[in-house]
Amino acid sequence: MQRVKNDDRGAVGIIVALMLVPIMILAALAIDVAAMHADRQQLRTGADAAALAAAQDCAGDDCDTTDVTAETMAKANFNGSGAEGSVTHLDEKAGEVSVQTSSVREHWFGPIVGINSTELEAESSARWGYPTGGTAVLPLAFSWCELVAQSNITPLKDETGTVVGVDMNGSGEEVTIQLPKHSDTGCNGPSGNPLPGGFGWLTPNPENCGETKSVVGGVVGGDPGNSIPSACEAQDFEDWIGKTVLLPIFNEATGEGSDAQFRIFGYAAFTLSGYRFSGAEYPASSSPCSGSQRCVRGSFDRFVDLSEDFEYSPDSPRMGASVVALTPTSSE
């Protein structure tokens, strides 16, 4: 008798039909989950950008715009439409702000297993404040009196009349600031300097001209003489042309010569464009002052420092310079 051979025709179709649902589920996991991850990354980027931008708004005394800023940054950092941003926490006294961004991801394959969409969100927090201490890149300080007398900024006072910073209405305008000996402002004694032998130079790190540490309310030693400190070279100053530096401002000076000390009031943001010191001058072809005069030229500006060179607090004097930084959120 002839044996009947097995006929497997159509088996592949059956197997494909049986595997179709698992395959679609795997596609949902591979494609939809990847799309969700990409959206979350964009939402997190938008939340970080929104928190930093909102902190910058508040550092500039403009906390009323933080909701608009959060919404704008959330949309700007999201590919496509549907992203939203909102401020979830704002404490002006503590200098803290938190932002949440959100969107809805419509799934392509998820509906096969009953998941049509997923709500996504991200959080980010930031702090802002004004420098309380840090490392200045130039060993130079101005007195509060000289700052007000020679610049286009005016003192900012609170409701009690206490000076808490400066009004930056004139920010961006270039000015030439004469060093005390030649300033003719009446801020100093008969010697023309804040202290005998003190020209406003601070004692830098002996190994690095760009490391002069100070704190608000603390004292910094003075470097006597008309010439730039011995730890410095002309190139140290030229490297900062066109850049914004934080200049220590002092409101009290004691001692004289190598025993001079300056008490720091705050830090002003100054964009350097030229200078003339004994032993250093820029630009040499058109110095901002002449003869025996010593000066710096530039503009006092609003400036946000994102480095880790300065400590900060919302209670420190507001002199154009501010510091903002991301902080851990409650979910981290």
Side-chain angles (χ1 to χ4, degrees):
M1 178 184 297
Q2 186 177 10
R3 186 182 295 274
V4 178
K5 296 182 178 179
N6 292 332
D7 189 351
D8 293 333
R9 287 177 298 177
V12 172
I14 294 173
I15 293 173
V16 170
L18 292 173
M19 292 298 297
L20 186 59
V21 171
I23 289 172
M24 297 301 287
I25 293 174
L26 290 175
L29 291 174
I31 297 176
D32 288 340
V33 171
M36 288 169 56
H37 178 73
D39 284 357
R40 281 199 181 97
Q41 288 295 102
Q42 294 173 36
L43 289 173
R44 182 55 189 263
T45 299
D48 287 348
L52 287 172
Q56 291 183 42
D57 287 345
C58 290
D61 297 324
D62 195 14
C63 275
D64 292 341
T65 63
T66 52
D67 281 317
V68 175
T69 296
E71 182 77 5
T72 300
M73 298 307 293
K75 293 182 181 301
N77 287 277
F78 193 80
N79 292 330
S81 59
E84 297 181 352
S86 61
V87 174
T88 57
H89 170 73
L90 179 61
D91 188 334
E92 295 185 45
K93 187 174 182 180
E96 299 173 346
V97 62
S98 297
V99 172
Q100 183 181 79
T101 54
S102 61
S103 69
V104 176
R105 160 54 64 175
E106 300 290 341
H107 297 307
W108 295 307
F109 296 97
I112 295 173
V113 292
I115 303 176
N116 296 321
S117 62
T118 301
E119 295 184 2
L120 305 173
E121 62 183 37
E123 292 182 342
S124 188
S125 298
R127 292 189 64 209
W128 74 89
Y130 312 97
T132 60
T135 303
V137 297
L138 296 180
L140 181 66
F142 290 117
S143 73
W144 171 257
C145 178
E146 294 281 0
L147 177 72
V148 174
Q150 295 195 66
S151 71
N152 44 21
I153 56 181
T154 54
L156 180 66
K157 301 180 180 180
D158 63 14
E159 60 275 6
T160 67
T162 302
V163 175
V164 294
V166 296
D167 187 336
M168 296 299 296
N169 289 334
S171 64
E173 279 184 51
E174 282 208 345
V175 293
T176 297
I177 306 293
Q178 300 281 349
L179 267 63
K181 184 73 173 179
H182 303 281
S183 63
D184 194 29
T185 58
C187 289
N188 305 300
S191 69
N193 295 320
L195 295 171
F199 285 75
W201 295 114
L202 302 179
T203 304
N205 182 324
E207 298 178 355
N208 190 335
C209 177
E211 291 188 1
T212 304
K213 298 184 182 298
S214 58
V215 296
V216 170
V219 296
V220 183
D223 191 282
N226 184 36
S227 301
I228 62 177
S230 58
C232 302
E233 299 178 357
Q235 189 63 45
D236 292 319
F237 295 92
E238 190 170 335
D239 288 343
W240 288 95
I241 290 293
K243 299 177 182 179
T244 302
V245 299
L246 300 189
L247 291 178
I249 306 300
F250 63 88
N251 59 356
E252 182 182 332
T254 58
E256 60 181 74
S258 59
D259 294 324
Q261 290 187 325
F262 301 97
R263 186 173 298 280
I264 303 303
F265 171 77
Y267 300 88
F270 187 76
T271 303
L272 186 66
S273 63
Y275 52 82
R276 179 180 170 83
F277 307 133
S278 179
E281 182 177 17
Y282 185 92
S285 57
S286 56
S287 177
C289 55
S290 59
S292 61
Q293 294 177 329
R294 302 292 182 261
C295 66
V296 295
R297 182 163 180 80
S299 59
F300 289 96
D301 298 298
R302 291 191 182 277
F303 176 69
V304 177
D305 187 88
L306 299 175
S307 72
E308 297 181 354
D309 291 336
F310 279 81
E311 299 294 328
Y312 60 98
S313 166
D315 300 324
S316 193
R318 291 171 282 171
M319 307 186 70
S322 57
V323 181
V324 300
L326 292 174
T327 58
T329 63
S330 57
S331 60
E332 294 179 329

